[in-house]
Amino acid sequence: MEALPENDPIPPVRLYRINAGSCNGCDVELATTASVARFDVERWGCRYSESPADADIVLITGPLTVRVRDKVLRLYGEVSEPKVTVAVGVCPISGGVFRDSYAVVGPIDRYLPVDINVPGCPPHPRALGAGIAKAATLWRERCGYTQPSPELASPGNYDGDAVAPTGLRGKMRFNAAACVGCRMCEHVCAGGAIRFDETDTGLHFTLWHNSCAFCGLCSHYCPTKALSVTDEWQMSHLQEDKYRLVEQGVVSFVPCTDCGSILLPVAPELLRVAYRETSREIERLKTLCPECRQKQSIGGIRR
Amino acid sequence: MMEFKKKVSEMISLWIGEEVAVEWRIDIKGVMTGWCRLQEGTLILPAAEAVACLEGRLSMITAYLSEQAKLKGVREISFHFDLNGTTLTLSIELPLEGARIPSLTHIFRNADWNEREFMELYDIQVVGHPDPRRLFLDKSIDPAAFERLIPYSTFSNGANSKALWEKVMAQNNHTGKEIP
Amino acid sequence: MSTSVIKLGPHQLALEEPMYFRVEVDGEIVVGLDVLAGYVHRGMEHLVMKRNFYQNITLLERLCSLCSNSHPSTFCTAVEEVAGIRIPARAEYLRAIADEIKRISSHLFNCAIIAHIIGQTALFKTVMEIREIMQDTKESIYGNRMDLAANCIGGVRYDLTPESAAYLGKQMERMKGPLDELYRTYATDQAIRTRTEGLGILSKPDAVNYAVVGPVARASGIVYDVRKKNPYGAYDRLRFEVATEQGGDVRARAMVRLREAREAVSLIEQCLADMPPGAIYADTLPEIPAGETIAKSEAPRGELIYYLKTDGTDMPVRLKWRVPSYMNWDALQVMLKGHSVADIPLIVNSIDPCISCTDR
Ligand code: SF4
Ligand code: SF4
């Protein structure tokens, strides 16, 4: 008779969920990772636990409201060490759309150490799975398990099925060449995820994905579609990368070809919106400051 | 429809003891809303009785404090009732300081939460509420949150967002701090 | 009578969200109830006054993920009313489609939870899998499984191409069999009937007195549906029955929801058939003058009402809304009284309570 394998089988990693005042979007999606076959956390060698004392990984949703804070911290404390903490959705990571409220005291890392962030609003169950898989690996490392569980053997598996779900509203992309600096995106953004900084070299655009609600409103109102929605959903990351998850771009200033004063060039996308076709005549106006442009087109400055 | 409108203003007039005029608006779908401003805050009690006689239901209560009203030294509350699909809004003005209004809980049970809620958000006292405890606000938040917290929160929140953005900018290329 | 008080939290109540109950019991029997709210209070009515109308579209969609479309669409309707904007007919149908899709998913989630509480794990998973057809549909058409981002001031920001309309039609076809089957199961399965029939009864007079709304009201025989009483958007042209039951118990509330889910499939099909071509939104950046208005809609949990006051700037002076759940909590007093503590989760979930909506 063959001997049984020497190694003990790896026990399942136990997950515990804490709702810190969420809109329930993240929670309802987490529920699918316990009830829908294709998203089930079992494939990552995990299962859900009903009690914090019997858990290894804590999943926290919501922006952390004043009133729920003590309850959250108490439950968190009941989870035995070593534990791995996952912030699920942009709410616990940055406060999300609720950041400016008197009733919100997050981000959660002000009160407890976070290991992994899973941005999204809410994140796709696959993204949740990927974050949970990362957390499970981290927890096993912390506990000194050397052998990876079979499902996790190939690193490619961390991300779940490789295919992006069709038409998913994922990470936003910025195309500086098309930006006209109208800042409409910043104006409509509920997450406070977009920021412009003006320097002498140009207009610097920064979008922090961890503050983004992935609503696409910025793209909708962007006159030149310098902002566009991609279907990239895999964004879970270690806490140390929290502030590096950005999209940046610079709209460089150019000197006016006539008088030399500094101006924001007109994006070809805007010309296309305004004139349908761009002619050479219009092209030339692109690099003129408004005053010189006026001079060119009406032959003198109006007083 | 004429009859309905007449019935409503007559009933309210009867209960509060003076003529009231309700302004009726009809939207493109033919849905009607009625709007009426009562002369005094306490009149809301008999007016609510009138709505109850019309078999209306309390839909919502909105307390608010507009800059315009503040200049006049008043605050406002609008009571929205449902009359079988028609929304009737009765508005009253109350003084900025020491605003008091009678509870409607003995006429409409569901006034309970509505009143508890505006009591914690605004400086308004409800007389005769059976259970005037806080409803949603944590003990640690100052009373009359919407009146006192506005300036405070602009300050504190700005701070929260600012701290986060500083970290974002510090760890990425464009610091935006190049302007001398 | 010697009564004691027990405190129940989300885990005991089988809720996804933090809400606490102080229940007065006589032995195992419930005699009184105090609902402790506010754990999901995010100060949203304050936040909306600090944000412009555009930001509020996205913010309000995050009020609650289960009825997430009802909020921006009703808010946009209010803004449009103040600004005198008439949205294109196509946009009205597209809004109705988004609302009905959300209604089906929301109702199915509640049915799944009911099965879970009864201990019917297989049925729970079946309902969740059926719901996945809706989740896939939302994701393919709108880009997210919960938050559709369908609305903008003046209309909608998504359109259906002939291909996506055909896809939606096919998905609706796929829903019919399973929804009919579920209705049969919840109506006839002996184990479910034993647990739900006669449980948590709210009589019609009590329903009127407690002013409940939505499926809770309709399950107690109140024929009230905002889509009929107060038509908005495309609903003045769509044909549907108001689902009503007389039992007033846990079962009746589940039956109302399952019938509404089935009815929603038909509403979506009507929209697909009747929707005219054309623009999907009116003016992009309208001026919003000073004014005040009321906008109402029938969210999955019932009547939703918004009050908007503006002063000509691009931020609301006051935006107040009352969600359906807000009206229904109190009626639990009646429903729970005399039942055993063990039945609390089932009765509570039968009002399909939403805490993030209630607390804001
Ligand atoms: S991250 Fe988005 S979906 Fe998740 S709880 Fe927050 S608002 Fe809701
Ligand atoms: S998608 Fe754009 S508008 Fe929406 S939250 Fe993200 S950055 Fe802001």
Side-chain angles (χ1 to χ4, degrees):
Chain A
M1 274 221 126
E2 268 182 31
L4 286 166
E6 294 282 339
N7 294 348
D8 286 340
I10 301 177
V13 182
R14 300 158 306 170
L15 314 172
Y16 185 70
R17 294 158 44 185
I18 304 180
N19 181 327
S22 83
C23 81
N24 70 39
C26 289
D27 306 83
V28 171
E29 287 296 56
L30 279 174
T32 66
T33 67
S35 57
V36 172
R38 58 180 167 158
F39 303 133
D40 205 308
V41 291
E42 259 175 30
R43 66 194 298 182
W44 314 117
C46 300
R47 67 171 176 78
Y48 281 97
S49 157
E50 286 300 308
S51 126
D54 301 321
D56 311 306
I57 292 178
V58 194
L59 307 167
I60 304 184
T61 60
L64 193 65
T65 63
V66 188
R67 195 156 201 191
V68 89
R69 175 182 51 200
D70 293 347
K71 289 208 173 351
V72 169
L73 296 181
R74 184 161 2 98
L75 287 171
Y76 175 81
E78 285 172 25
V79 181
S80 56
E81 300 289 345
K83 58 189 159 203
V84 170
T85 307
V86 185
V88 174
V90 291
C91 273
I93 308 176
S94 69
V97 294
F98 308 114
R99 187 163 61 229
D100 293 341
S101 170
Y102 62 83
V104 167
V105 291
I108 196 87
D109 58 6
R110 289 175 66 187
Y111 293 91
L112 47 89
V114 170
D115 298 293
I116 285 162
N117 294 306
V118 185
C121 189
H124 191 278
R126 286 187 212 284
L128 297 172
I132 290 169
K134 273 200 182 104
T137 308
L138 198 62
W139 183 80
R140 290 189 176 110
E141 274 169 26
R142 283 186 189 170
C143 294
Y145 289 108
T146 45
Q147 71 280 44
S149 75
E151 312 94 287
L152 299 175
S154 88
N157 266 352
Y158 287 150
D159 297 346
D161 299 346
V163 286
T166 45
L168 186 109
R169 232 182 304 116
K171 220 173 181 172
M172 300 303 298
R173 182 177 295 144
F174 178 66
N175 171 14
C179 177
V180 292
C182 69
R183 297 192 176 194
M184 191 60 192
C185 53
E186 185 187 27
H187 185 70
V188 302
C189 178
I194 294 174
R195 152 177 176 145
F196 283 94
D197 291 289
E198 221 176 301
T199 71
D200 7 334
T201 51
L203 195 57
H204 297 242
F205 169 95
T206 307
L207 189 158
W208 185 29
H209 300 299
N210 272 329
S211 198
C212 171
F214 304 89
C215 68
L217 206 62
C218 48
S219 168
H220 175 76
Y221 282 108
C222 176
T224 59
K225 299 290 166 261
L227 272 158
S228 54
V229 185
T230 74
D231 57 11
E232 211 182 317
W233 54 273
Q234 174 46 277
M235 282 174 277
S236 60
H237 55 277
L238 293 173
Q239 170 73 0
E240 63 203 53
D241 294 325
K242 170 173 171 177
Y243 298 104
R244 293 203 192 94
L245 211 70
V246 293
E247 173 81 1
Q248 292 192 308
V250 190
V251 193
S252 309
F253 290 138
V254 293
C256 168
T257 43
D258 206 10
C259 72
S261 66
I262 291 296
L263 73 125
L264 205 61
V266 181
E269 279 76 3
L270 182 65
L271 293 180
R272 263 197 290 278
V273 173
Y275 302 100
R276 301 258 157 100
E277 295 294 337
T278 50
S279 70
R280 271 184 52 207
E281 192 53 27
I282 293 162
E283 280 290 319
R284 216 163 44 79
L285 295 176
K286 251 168 55 172
T287 51
L288 291 177
C289 72
E291 257 184 26
C292 296
R293 213 181 289 157
Q294 203 176 35
K295 233 190 279 177
Q296 283 276 338
S297 36
I298 55 174
I301 297 174
R302 261 192 283 200
R303 300 203 187 267
Chain B
M1 202 181 282
M2 256 345 267
E3 214 163 281
F4 171 78
K5 291 182 190 173
K6 215 172 121 214
K7 201 168 96 187
V8 171
S9 35
E10 278 178 5
M11 186 66 85
I12 301 175
S13 306
L14 182 74
W15 272 90
I16 70 175
E18 62 185 70
E19 278 301 305
V20 296
V22 180
E23 182 207 332
W24 297 99
R25 298 184 208 156
I26 298 185
D27 74 7
I28 40 169
K29 304 285 168 188
V31 173
M32 199 157 62
T33 50
W35 303 81
C36 173
R37 203 158 265 270
L38 303 175
Q39 291 310 311
E40 255 171 75
T42 46
L43 292 181
I44 193 58
L45 202 57
E49 296 276 13
V51 173
C53 285
L54 293 162
E55 289 180 3
R57 135 178 93 86
L58 176 66
S59 255
M60 172 168 81
I61 305 179
T62 310
Y64 50 103
L65 195 55
S66 70
E67 287 307 317
Q68 226 182 348
K70 261 199 244 173
L71 289 176
K72 289 200 296 175
V74 297
R75 60 172 71 245
E76 292 152 289
I77 307 185
S78 288
F79 297 79
H80 316 278
F81 298 97
D82 177 62
L83 297 167
N84 197 24
T86 299
T87 311
L88 172 68
T89 299
L90 302 178
S91 302
I92 56 168
E93 289 181 0
L94 293 172
L96 271 182
E97 308 272 332
R100 284 160 68 86
I101 99 157
S103 173
L104 302 187
T105 44
H106 62 284
I107 307 168
F108 299 105
R109 218 198 129 92
N110 63 337
D112 188 323
W113 274 29
N114 280 279
E115 291 174 356
R116 275 172 76 184
E117 189 178 349
F118 73 68
M119 268 192 279
E120 65 185 5
L121 298 179
Y122 293 91
D123 229 336
I124 303 168
Q125 220 196 316
V126 178
V127 182
H129 192 287
D131 180 21
R133 281 176 302 159
R134 281 209 174 177
L135 182 57
F136 299 123
L137 288 200
D138 190 69
K139 286 190 292 292
S140 66
I141 297 174
D142 284 343
F146 279 18
E147 296 185 31
R148 305 204 213 295
L149 269 162
I150 290 171
Y152 166 71
S153 71
T154 347
F155 160 70
S156 76
N157 294 319
N160 201 351
S161 278
K162 206 168 146 240
L164 287 174
W165 271 106
E166 265 165 17
K167 288 185 193 156
V168 171
M169 298 319 275
Q171 294 192 18
N172 294 285
N173 305 329
H174 313 299
T175 59
K177 297 248 167 62
E178 290 155 23
I179 309 165
Chain C
M1 192 165 67
S2 65
T3 63
S4 56
V5 169
I6 53 172
K7 208 170 160 185
L8 301 178
H11 273 279
Q12 295 95 318
L13 295 169
L15 292 173
E16 288 291 331
E17 307 176 84
M19 185 66 129
Y20 293 81
F21 282 6
R22 206 180 284 129
V23 186
E24 205 184 329
V25 289
D26 182 2
E28 274 299 296
I29 302 302
V30 179
V31 292
L33 169 74
D34 186 14
V35 177
L36 307 171
Y39 295 92
V40 193
H41 178 64
R42 290 149 290 167
M44 287 184 76
E45 285 187 6
H46 181 239
L47 278 179
V48 294
M49 292 190 279
K50 310 237 128 214
R51 308 264 166 103
N52 59 49
F53 296 118
Y54 305 102
Q55 294 172 305
N56 283 333
I57 300 171
T58 296
L59 177 58
L60 288 165
E61 191 155 15
R62 269 82 189 153
L63 174 67
C64 159
S65 82
L66 290 166
C67 54
S68 55
N69 195 67
S70 300
H71 296 282
S73 71
T74 313
F75 163 67
C76 286
T77 306
V79 176
E80 287 148 8
E81 183 69 29
V82 166
I85 298 167
R86 173 130 208 212
I87 75 167
R90 188 173 179 83
E92 293 188 328
Y93 284 94
L94 288 166
R95 272 190 190 166
I97 288 175
D99 267 348
E100 296 307 321
I101 287 180
K102 289 291 296 182
R103 191 182 318 279
I104 302 172
S105 302
S106 178
H107 283 355
L108 285 180
F109 192 70
N110 180 253
C111 283
I113 301 293
I114 298 278
H116 174 67
I117 296 171
I118 295 177
Q120 301 238 8
T121 310
L123 180 60
F124 163 63
K125 293 203 172 183
T126 305
V127 183
M128 288 299 280
E129 294 287 353
I130 296 169
R131 181 173 167 272
E132 282 299 307
I133 303 175
M134 298 310 299
Q135 299 304 93
D136 283 342
T137 309
K138 286 186 273 181
E139 180 171 289
S140 302
I141 294 175
Y142 305 93
N144 189 285
R145 294 159 45 95
M146 300 306 293
D147 293 338
L148 306 186
N151 296 280
C152 61
I153 295 161
V156 290
R157 42 191 269 236
Y158 83 103
D159 204 354
L160 289 175
T161 61
E163 294 77 44
S164 54
Y167 164 78
L168 178 55
K170 262 216 313 275
Q171 292 292 86
M172 289 305 106
E173 205 51 56
R174 279 179 71 193
M175 287 302 290
K176 289 179 187 168
L179 282 176
D180 290 342
E181 183 59 38
L182 275 186
Y183 184 83
R184 255 197 310 278
T185 306
Y186 279 78
T188 56
D189 181 88
Q190 205 41 55
I192 298 178
R193 287 190 72 155
T194 319
R195 284 299 304 277
T196 57
E197 225 165 357
L199 187 73
I201 293 181
L202 183 73
S203 69
K204 190 172 176 182
D206 278 337
V208 172
N209 183 24
Y210 281 75
V212 294
V213 295
V216 175
R218 292 192 283 277
S220 293
I222 296 179
V223 192
Y224 196 114
D225 186 314
V226 181
R227 294 172 293 177
K228 272 261 156 59
K229 285 269 186 221
N230 219 318
Y232 53 96
Y235 290 106
D236 57 343
R237 279 147 288 164
L238 299 170
R239 300 166 303 279
F240 68 102
E241 289 277 322
V242 175
T244 318
E245 290 273 334
Q246 305 302 326
D249 53 3
V250 171
R251 175 168 185 265
R253 294 190 270 280
M255 296 328 305
V256 165
R257 288 191 194 99
L258 281 166
R259 276 170 58 193
E260 287 183 4
R262 188 60 182 78
E263 198 79 65
V265 169
S266 140
L267 285 167
I268 293 166
E269 288 179 335
Q270 289 176 47
C271 287
L272 287 173
D274 302 349
M275 190 164 60
I280 54 166
Y281 53 81
D283 193 1
T284 347
L285 299 170
E287 289 272 325
I288 314 295
E292 66 177 340
T293 196
I294 291 280
K296 277 181 168 183
S297 65
E298 183 75 25
R301 283 161 194 70
E303 178 198 68
L304 174 66
I305 171 168
Y306 267 74
Y307 167 78
L308 170 69
K309 189 177 177 68
T310 57
D311 64 356
T313 66
D314 66 351
M315 291 190 197
V317 170
R318 182 73 161 109
L319 180 61
K320 166 85 188 158
W321 62 97
R322 198 225 68 236
V323 302
S325 287
Y326 197 91
M327 305 287 266
N328 293 344
W329 287 105
D330 197 20
L332 282 175
Q333 307 270 7
V334 178
M335 297 180 195
L336 288 173
K337 202 159 278 174
H339 287 293
S340 98
V341 172
D343 282 328
I344 295 178
L346 196 49
I347 297 174
V348 169
N349 276 276
S350 78
I351 67 164
D352 197 7
C354 179
I355 290 108
S356 53
C357 272
T358 306
D359 287 358
R360 285 153 288 145

